[in-house]
């Protein structure tokens, strides 16, 4: 079997560490109990320390490749971690500090690290990342931030316009129904019974020298000419009016 270190293209990860002064105010039993809730960590208690190990990946021989190891001792804390050659050293360091802070937040009342040293490591890691960001990226981020704010405003307006459109649709439907009802009512009012229409025809003939212009009568009374002719025929057949030669 070819040794992993001799395999072509294989490069062992670099190892870095951070050491900081620390103080335990409770017991290592307390620390272990708190940290045992971390699913992704292997936790081991020694007489004078608590060790946390997280293995993120392994090599072909199942040996830890990417990992970080935290040793919380009585007077100091040691953090050791690996860095792959094809990854960002600065981002890796910041990621480790983030995880360290998460761990410390669980034991803050029984185990503390010297704030000055911890802040110095955190400040250095953040500064390294920020300083590595090109100016073009900063300008791009500012543009993104501005566009994102515009997007939120447009989204808010869209919600308001959608609600307004729904209200207008409801109002339009109500007006359409009202218009339909008024149209039906008007149609009913404009429809005469045969008796009523005969009476109107009779009145017209009496006031127009015994003559009737069917088109004019139809237009004034809102009635179709064929119905007027039908009524005239009925009146003639019943002897109500006579046709002069």
């Amino acid at each position: 079997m070819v040794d992993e270190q001799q395999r072509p293209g294989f490069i062992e990860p670099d190892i870095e560490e951070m050491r900081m002064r620390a103080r335990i105010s409770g017991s290592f039993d307390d620390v272990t109990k708190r940290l045992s809730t971390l699913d992704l960590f292997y936790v081991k208690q020694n007489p004078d320390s608590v060790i946390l190990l997280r293995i993120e990946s392994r090599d072909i021989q199942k040996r830890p490749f990417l990992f970080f190891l935290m040793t919380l001792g009585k007077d100091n804390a040691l953090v050791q971690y690996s860095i792959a050659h094809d990854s960002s050293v600065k981002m890796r360091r910041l990621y480790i500090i983030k995880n360290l802070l998460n761990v410390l937040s669980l034991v803050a009342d029984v185990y503390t690290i010297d704030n000055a040293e911890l802040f110095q490591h955190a400040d250095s890691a953040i500064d390294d990342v920020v300083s590595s960001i090109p100016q073009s990226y900063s300008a791009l981020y500012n543009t993104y931030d501005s566009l994102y704010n515009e997007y939120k405003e447009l989204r808010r307006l869209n919600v308001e316009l959608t609600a307004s459109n729904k209200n207008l649709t409801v109002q339009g439907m109500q007006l359409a129904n009202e218009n339909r009802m008024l149209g039906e009512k008007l149609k009913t009012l404009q429809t005469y019974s045969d008796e009523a229409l005969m009476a109107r025809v009779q009145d017209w003939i009496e006031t127009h020298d015994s003559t009737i212009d069917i088109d004019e009568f139809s237009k004034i009374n809102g009635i179709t000419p064929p119905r007027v002719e039908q009524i005239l025929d009925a009146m003639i057949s019943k002897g109500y009016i006579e046709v002069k030669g």
Side-chain angles (χ1 to χ4, degrees), residues 16-196:
E16 286 192 358
E17 66 177 41
M18 294 181 291
R19 188 183 297 272
M20 294 158 282
R21 291 190 299 272
R23 182 175 64 87
I24 183 168
S25 54
S27 67
F28 285 118
D29 287 336
D30 295 331
V31 175
T32 302
K33 184 177 180 180
R34 301 280 185 84
L35 299 182
S36 295
T37 60
L38 297 172
D39 295 333
L40 299 178
F41 285 85
Y42 168 76
V43 182
K44 178 183 178 182
Q45 180 178 338
N46 294 323
D48 57 352
S49 65
V50 174
I51 296 175
L52 290 89
L53 172 65
R54 179 176 177 181
I55 299 175
E56 301 162 272
S57 65
R58 297 177 181 272
D59 60 23
I60 198 172
Q61 294 182 354
K62 304 302 182 182
R63 296 178 305 181
F65 183 77
L66 280 182
F67 66 89
F68 54 92
L69 178 70
M70 301 179 186
T71 303
L72 306 182
K74 186 178 299 183
D75 301 319
N76 61 76
L78 176 64
V79 181
Q80 298 168 298
Y81 55 94
S82 60
I83 307 172
H85 281 268
D86 59 351
S87 64
S88 168
V89 175
K90 298 174 182 178
M91 293 300 296
R92 179 65 173 167
R93 187 177 298 127
L94 188 61
Y95 173 75
I96 296 300
I97 290 177
K98 173 183 176 296
N99 280 270
L100 174 61
L101 292 174
N102 288 336
V103 169
L104 293 176
S105 67
L106 297 176
V107 294
D109 58 331
V110 292
Y111 190 91
T112 55
I113 288 180
D114 183 270
N115 284 339
E117 295 186 16
L118 178 60
F119 292 161
Q120 184 177 1
H121 282 290
D123 180 73
S124 176
I126 294 172
D127 186 62
D128 284 344
V129 171
V130 172
S131 63
S132 66
I133 298 175
Q135 187 63 33
S136 57
Y137 177 83
S138 298
L140 181 62
Y141 180 80
N142 290 335
T143 302
Y144 159 79
D145 190 55
S146 176
L147 290 174
Y148 181 68
N149 289 332
E150 291 181 13
Y151 160 75
K152 290 194 296 183
E153 179 64 16
L154 289 173
R155 186 177 180 182
R156 182 186 66 79
L157 290 174
N158 181 60
V159 171
E160 293 180 358
L161 290 174
T162 300
S164 177
N165 184 57
K166 288 182 179 179
N167 291 332
L168 290 174
T169 300
V170 172
Q171 292 177 13
M173 293 177 63
Q174 292 175 344
L175 290 174
N177 289 332
E178 292 176 4
N179 184 61
R180 178 180 55 80
M181 294 173 64
L182 290 173
E184 292 175 353
K185 185 176 181 180
L186 179 60
K187 183 178 180 181
T188 301
L189 292 175
Q190 291 178 339
T191 302
Y192 300 102
S193 65
D194 288 350
E195 291 76 12

